[in-house]
Amino acid sequence: MKVKVLSRNPDDYLRETKRDIQKVPRNYDPNLHPFQSSREYVRALNAVKLERVFAKPFIGNLDGHRDGIFCMAKHPKSLSTLASGSYDGEVRLWNLTKKKCISSINGHDRFVRGLSFNPDGTRLFSVGDDSTIKVWNTEELDTPSHTFISQSVLYGISCQWLNDKVFATCGDVVQLWDITRSQPTSTLKWGVDSLHHIAFNQIDTNVLASCASDRSIILYDTREVKPMRKIIMKLKTNQLAWNPMEAYVFTAANEDYNCYSYDTRNLESPINVHKDHVAAVTCIDYAPTGLEFVTGSYDKTIRIFESHQGHSREIYHTKRMQHLTSVIWSLDNKFVLSASDEMNIRIWKANASEKLGTLRPRERTALEYNATLKEKFAAHPQVKRIARHRQVPKHIYHERNQQLESKKKLKRKEENVRKHSKKNSIPYVSEKKKNVVSEVV
Amino acid sequence: MGKVHQRRIVNESKNKLAAKISEAANVLLPENSGYIIAEPGEKTTKISQTQLSNSVDVTSAKKHFDLKLDFGPYDIDYSLNGRQLLIGGRKGHVAAMDWITKHLMCEINVMEEVYDVKWLHNENLFSVAQKKWVYMYDNQGVEVHCLKNLNNVLHQEFLPYHFLLSTASEEGFLSWLDVSMGKLVTQFNAKMGRLSLMTQNSNNALICLGHTKGVVSMWSPNLREPVAKILCHGNMITSLAINSNGMYMATSGMDRSIKVWDIRRLKGPLQDYKVRTSPRSMVFSQTGCLAVAINNVVDVYEECCTKTIQHAYLRHNIARTINNLAFCPFEDVLGAGHDGGFSSLLIPGSGEPNFDALERNPFQTKKQRKEAEVKMLLEKIPAEMITLESTVDEVDINTFQTKLTARNSLQTVKPLKINIKVRNKIKKKTLANPSKIKEKILEEKTKEFVRALNARPKDEIDEGKSTRFGVLDRFKNKRNKKE
């Protein structure tokens, strides 16, 4: 007879010295882990609650400007550098880690309308209401290394990617400049009185887009002599941002409270409408991943949208923040910066509940595990409700309800009109197409 | 490729990888389960405990011992990690000990009858069902709580993942008590008479009761009637056991038979064994051994659920009437509480060799225990989630489809045609157009019809009445039968 009885040697299961960590033998046999799905659900519920508990997105603010801030620019190479320009013509360079102003100068006589770094971050271009383009050395803002005087007004500037010399400005026309020439190398015009924003595509570097005050968005190619295409919408587009990962996608922040993502290959209708703001969207910027973008609005809130989703995943607001003028998503995908009317630049976390700083391995695995659980149980009503819930300011809450009500009324009216008119005489228009007037080639 | 599709593919590959890794990890498990290899021609049934303890190492041999106590019959319980033993004699003797080191933690006499003892979530607390009420003691034997809303309790079961202490009382009351908050979750009369037989399904946390009519009923705290009932024997059920993964149930009746059932199907017994007398107590081990107490003899059967076996794996005669059996988790040990005290028997191959330290850890330190307690409390599953089958992580397609079809059928239902005759001549004054009146009446009738449809109870929409005749229908009231 041969017998074996379970007999564990305690030395195999206990730590040798007090300085060791305890031994944790694992056995993944499902029989030893009953109620796995129920326990996971409870864990997911806890995780999503904790996420809301730790959601403290505001990090700090940069104050120093003596007037409202009109524009900001992110440094392409240095994560800690930021440039901002205000209504009184002051240009400031900031160090974000220290939350301090590095240098400042009264660059323009009136508004600073646009700021842009060149691709290697050595020069900062600024345009102002005094119709000058000034080029600054980013080490220290003292005297501009170049000053260009434009014949027309200037409202925006954008540097071409991967090319240190070329930049474009907009005003009543779009002008392409070379830094070695004092006159614009070419002028592109499409019967518009003023263009207030311009942006180069970061991948297809010859393409640029601008927003015009006649409610249109115009696409240009630097290699062509004429503008390429134009979309006319029902209301004005305030700003647009190119998706940094998908060369053909840009998103326009519109006056009608929505953002519209367009595919340049088919401009007939937007590929997505992003709704949630309750006032005009004034500014927009993409995350470097291209999966998300941030918008600032006249309703005094910042919202973060997932680029393929119709509604925002996050809303940021503070009591003192006024109308947003400019937003930026930092290049490390961790922070969002916002500039507003009341002279402050605010720094927010891109992910409200994220823990900053280095994570210990155990901490990281726990967070990753929680993230997976949240994803797995995202559709469960209880989890969904907690994850979605946001406290919003009263004015937003009421405004939103009001807008919903008025939208309902319009819908009802349209339905009634349809009922009482000839069949098929009033077509159903999709939400995407509703706010697009036409595309002009 | 769409984003959803892409994500699904990624997830699938991740899952496959995880399964592969966990399978590979099985190779690394340090321990192997125990066994007896008999000489050719020798039966393992004949091997006695003294023989066994003589042929194993010293530490294992010490695991076979007897406690001669005078307050029997004894009820026993091992703690969840298998380190501590709790015994309670009918005459009031309660003792808690670390049975491996034989260190006595506490010993008290409660001065009244003790019906059942149970460890709670760790070895710091245990509850004792005494003559009148249920009491909770800490590991020093100090009375912590007296639960006066649990009276005349005969049996207790602790559901560790839900932190529920469920009890069955002499008057037929079933109750679930949340021990983390001290709140009674539910308490109701099962209307099945005296509840003397109770066990839990550790896979879905349902409480199983055995009744005198030969029925086994399963209960959840969310329903005041049994979730399921099986007619197992023609007469009284004497003992009941469910294996650790909740697949098989063994029942024994006064008809001197042991039947093994597949709980998931609730249909015909898988096995039907005949024994000498009807067993008093049965229990499954972690590896699926079934221990049966028949008067003063313990029989242990191996793999008796899937195969029909002829002989017992091991047999031991205790010489006193056995009251209660319990396998020690993670050890090859079977504990038996009997009239004359307690016996610890070696059953090679009955314990799970490799424990998961994050789940149950026999070598737990004090700090680990504290941490584990917090974790357990954080992961406490709400009592509302106790169901026959958990579908938390599944898509409920059936319910959705029935809902959908119900809604669709509602849309296609047309109101009955109504013949309306409008009297044309109401003297001279005909105020309204007769056709308009007709229209109005029709509209009103349709609205009424729709309202009535919407007001229908949900069950009526979901499913028609089943006309199937079940075995258990004979237990229904005659009034219910007619319905």
Side-chain angles (χ1 to χ4, degrees), chain B residues 63 65 74-78 85 87 99 281 283 291 293 298 318 322-329 331-338 341-347 350:
Chain B
K63 286 174 187 169
F65 61 92
Y74 274 86
D75 195 86
I76 60 164
D77 187 41
Y78 285 103
L85 173 71
I87 54 173
W99 67 273
S281 174
V283 67
V298 187
I318 292 180
I322 299 160
N323 182 47
N324 196 348
L325 290 176
F327 273 105
C328 178
E331 291 284 354
D332 282 344
V333 166
L334 170 71
H338 47 80
F342 169 79
S343 299
S344 176
L345 313 172
L346 291 177
I347 312 291
S350 69

Side-chain angles (χ1 to χ4, degrees), chain B residues 46 91 114 142 152 252 265 275 283 297 304 311 326 341 412 422:
Chain B
K46 293 275 162 92
K91 289 173 194 142
V114 169
V142 178
N152 294 354
S252 69
R265 293 199 306 148
V275 283
V283 67
V297 177
C304 60
H311 304 288
T412 51
V422 181

